[in-house]
Amino acid sequence: MRLCSRSKLVLACSALGVTFSLAACGGDDTAADAAADGGMMKSQTPKNDANAPTWYKDIAPIVSDKCTGCHTEGGIAPFSMKSYESAKDFAGSMAQAVEDGRMPPFLAQETDACKPRLPWANDIRLSADQKKTIRAWANAGAPEGDKAHPGKLGTPAPTKLAREDVVLTVPEKITVDGKQDIHTCMVLDPKLKEDGYVIGRQITAGNNAVLHHVVSYLVTPQTKADGTMQTRAEMLAALKKEKNVAPGGRYDCFGGPSLTTVGFEMLDAWAPGGVPSMAPPDSGQPISKDALVLLDTHYHPTGNGAETDDSTHLGLMLATSKPKLVSRVILLGNFEGTNDTNFGTSTLLKQPGESKAEFMIPAGEAKHVEEMTWTWKLGKTALRVYAMGTHMHYVGQDMRVTLEHAAGARKQECLIETPVWDFNWQRGYAYDAAYADLPEMLDGDTVRMRCVFNNTTDNAHVLKALDDRGLDAPVDVPLGEDTLDEMCLAAVGIVYPNPN
Ligand code: HEC
């Protein structure tokens, strides 16, 4: 079994983005308005309540752990929580945002239908007590407390890779102006001397104000019709022919590289605030010396004049010895066209009222469901799931991925649900568990993807997409790779014994 022949697994196009909200680019207004609504006014002075939580003792420890990855000077969020001075005016809106669940952004949520068995790593959600503490602090007028006796600050996840063995920088200066988002796929050459394994990946933004998200891929030689592999020269020629692009160049793309004449597989998905993405212990993603790297990049204009980016880069950390396990992210779903027969089969399920199964979201439908299954043909190989992500476009509302076991005591387990989908806050979610405890996928097991779509103007993202296209009413939405097409894709981080 060759799990790396990705063209079999990545069905149709693919993307798992990790992005931040469009509203992030609106400047301070949102936050300032919210602060005014949310309780404390800027002129309010702290009340004299000796028992109230204070910034130094209670609030800084919470926000240093859960918020300052983004809410920092020059960060993507509209205000900084690094100091009392910069945070205090937002106390009311901070309390409101965490009570509403808007902040911190974390799309994976437990629902009645989906309770993943394992906790998430780097779970930045607040406990009920922490939310109450922020509310009590805001209600007391945001007291500063005693700088000399602070509470213990949190230890946020590391923000830098320990080592960058390969550095891939945007090939040219990108200028983001006007109103138009830029969706571009940049092709870069890591110029590797030998095959290896990627164990860590990290994007460093060149301009936080406009870099919205980056999904990175390996572009690899593909198996030819005669069963042999493309050489590197053949891969480069195919890329040139299909997209008129060479290493150092770029082409327009949305929601994935959409390449059919060369292979590609996902490396990583990044959004502002993202921490380095590390492979599980003693595992790595094989990288061929012939591989290129593709950065599927989304820039969003600030609305306040031109911004440029000439320094965003992807850092890769490579293994120094051969890992025992292989880990990588595969994309399941959207099986149109390619129906894999080697190690899985996919089926689009017929929904009530449909005469035949069809992926089509009619204009005006608020709760349209599409479901598909992927059934593994793995022989004796067992795959474990170390991370999960969901991917839809602008019409998506809710996505759930369930693993149904063909045999064994555990009949099924929910892997992830993102019940309040937001295109702008996509990312991957890793389980916080040892290899032996991770969900196991065996021959005959089925992964079920269930997507709910809202194709009405009640969906703010639909409104935005229609506006971008100059349309004033929803249209029927088919499967596809355009802004007003849809997908129902699960990104599954898998780890399995290294066959080499
Ligand atoms: C992953 C990055 C990220 C993290 C972590 C994060 N924020 Fe935000 N926050 C943003 C961005 C971007 C915006 C502006 C866009 C928006 O509102 O979605 C924002 C806006 C806000 C706003 C103003 C708008 C609103 O929704 O009220 C508040 C208040 C806020 N955040 C509070 C918090 C608090 C409190 C935490 C931690 C418990 C937190 N944020 C964690 C990125 C982040």
Side-chain angles (χ1 to χ4, degrees):
M1 187 193 66
R2 256 180 59 84
L3 272 166
C4 25
S5 61
R6 75 81 234 161
S7 51
K8 295 280 170 50
L9 274 171
V10 179
L11 305 164
C13 105
S14 53
L16 168 73
V18 200
T19 77
F20 71 92
S21 170
L22 293 169
C25 312
D28 283 8
D29 298 358
T30 1
D33 293 350
D37 300 343
M40 183 187 171
M41 306 297 289
K42 292 200 177 196
S43 56
Q44 201 169 332
T45 41
K47 298 182 187 107
N48 213 351
D49 176 354
N51 294 322
T54 68
W55 172 261
Y56 283 109
K57 188 157 117 345
D58 308 283
I59 304 303
I62 301 176
V63 302
S64 60
D65 211 8
K66 316 269 187 178
C67 315
T68 54
C70 303
H71 287 267
T72 179
E73 255 52 77
I76 56 148
F79 64 99
S80 167
M81 295 183 207
K82 283 285 209 193
S83 73
Y84 175 67
E85 288 309 314
S86 60
K88 65 175 189 227
D89 288 343
F90 300 99
S93 55
M94 284 164 63
Q96 192 69 50
V98 299
E99 283 165 1
D100 293 352
R102 276 201 315 281
M103 287 285 149
F106 199 87
L107 298 189
Q109 299 286 341
E110 292 70 40
T111 66
D112 288 346
C114 184
K115 297 192 172 38
R117 183 162 60 79
L118 301 166
W120 301 113
N122 299 321
D123 189 341
I124 51 172
R125 287 175 292 178
L126 269 55
S127 68
D129 278 352
Q130 290 174 318
K131 292 181 189 176
K132 277 191 202 142
T133 302
I134 298 183
R135 170 54 70 196
W137 175 66
N139 285 353
E144 181 172 12
D146 184 358
K147 199 174 184 167
H149 296 97
K152 194 170 173 302
L153 292 191
T155 37
T159 54
K160 289 265 171 294
L161 276 183
R163 246 183 20 244
E164 292 188 337
D165 299 313
V166 179
V167 175
L168 296 154
T169 307
V170 294
E172 59 180 286
K173 181 156 61 175
I174 307 289
T175 302
V176 192
D177 202 354
K179 283 193 148 183
Q180 211 52 51
D181 288 58
I182 298 176
H183 296 272
T184 185
C185 280
M186 306 168 177
V187 179
L188 301 162
D189 190 350
K191 298 199 175 91
L192 296 183
K193 298 216 164 49
E194 52 192 31
D195 297 348
Y197 292 85
V198 177
I199 57 169
R201 314 133 175 107
Q202 165 137 64
I203 289 284
T204 304
N207 186 339
N208 266 322
V210 286
L211 188 64
H212 199 287
H213 80 263
V214 183
V215 185
S216 50
Y217 296 86
L218 293 177
V219 175
T220 58
Q222 175 168 279
T223 314
K224 294 185 291 187
D226 65 5
T228 61
M229 290 294 269
Q230 283 172 334
T231 61
R232 181 174 153 106
E234 285 170 335
M235 173 184 78
L236 291 173
L239 201 54
K240 183 84 193 159
K241 190 160 175 232
E242 186 176 351
K243 296 290 180 191
N244 193 25
V245 74
R250 61 189 179 97
Y251 61 93
D252 291 346
C253 62
F254 179 82
S258 72
L259 294 166
T260 57
T261 57
V262 295
F264 67 94
E265 66 181 48
M266 196 168 137
L267 257 178
D268 187 31
W270 173 91
V275 296
S277 136
M278 298 304 295
D282 207 7
S283 81
Q285 175 171 10
I287 182 170
S288 149
K289 64 176 177 10
D290 292 336
L292 300 173
V293 167
L294 182 145
L295 303 182
D296 175 355
T297 311
H298 177 189
Y299 290 95
H300 182 70
T302 61
N304 302 320
E307 291 276 346
T308 58
D309 174 18
D310 59 4
S311 59
T312 290
H313 76 264
L314 170 69
L316 297 179
M317 185 168 159
L318 303 179
T320 50
S321 60
K322 191 195 287 178
K324 283 208 188 63
L325 302 165
V326 168
S327 60
R328 57 155 30 93
V329 179
I330 55 168
L331 300 147
L332 299 179
N334 285 95
F335 48 85
E336 200 184 53
T338 19
N339 221 1
D340 175 58
T341 46
N342 276 353
F343 45 91
T345 43
S346 55
T347 314
L348 178 67
L349 305 186
K350 207 167 79 168
Q351 297 302 319
E354 269 183 344
S355 54
K356 69 170 178 41
E358 187 192 12
F359 193 109
M360 173 60 71
I361 307 152
E365 261 196 46
K367 275 198 161 57
H368 182 83
V369 176
E370 294 289 351
E371 266 177 304
M372 54 196 77
T373 55
W374 172 268
T375 303
W376 289 105
K377 271 193 211 161
L378 290 170
K380 288 203 169 3
T381 310
L383 308 175
R384 290 186 185 269
V385 183
Y386 77 90
M388 286 300 301
T390 57
H391 176 72
M392 300 181 285
H393 291 167
Y394 293 134
V395 190
Q397 285 262 281
D398 176 7
M399 179 164 177
R400 180 161 77 228
V401 187
T402 315
L403 176 56
E404 297 170 355
H405 297 284
R410 196 178 277 131
K411 278 276 169 277
Q412 68 165 52
E413 53 186 310
C414 192
L415 296 175
I416 189 170
E417 181 162 0
T418 49
V420 186
W421 172 248
D422 186 337
F423 184 82
N424 300 311
W425 280 121
Q426 303 178 57
R427 46 162 285 193
Y429 296 88
Y431 295 120
D432 187 8
Y435 177 69
D437 294 328
L438 295 171
E440 197 174 29
M441 302 191 293
L442 300 171
D443 191 44
D445 287 357
T446 294
V447 182
R448 177 185 288 259
M449 278 112 348
R450 180 180 189 274
C451 288
V452 184
F453 299 94
N454 179 352
N455 194 6
T456 73
T457 50
D458 292 342
N459 180 342
H461 290 115
V462 167
L463 268 184
K464 153 110 176 71
L466 290 172
D467 190 47
D468 285 353
R469 290 286 207 78
L471 299 170
D472 50 18
V475 293
D476 290 353
V477 169
L479 184 65
E481 293 161 14
D482 212 344
T483 35
L484 264 177
D485 296 337
E486 262 302 344
M487 311 193 100
C488 180
L489 256 181
V492 187
I494 55 170
V495 50
Y496 55 93
N498 191 346
N500 296 309

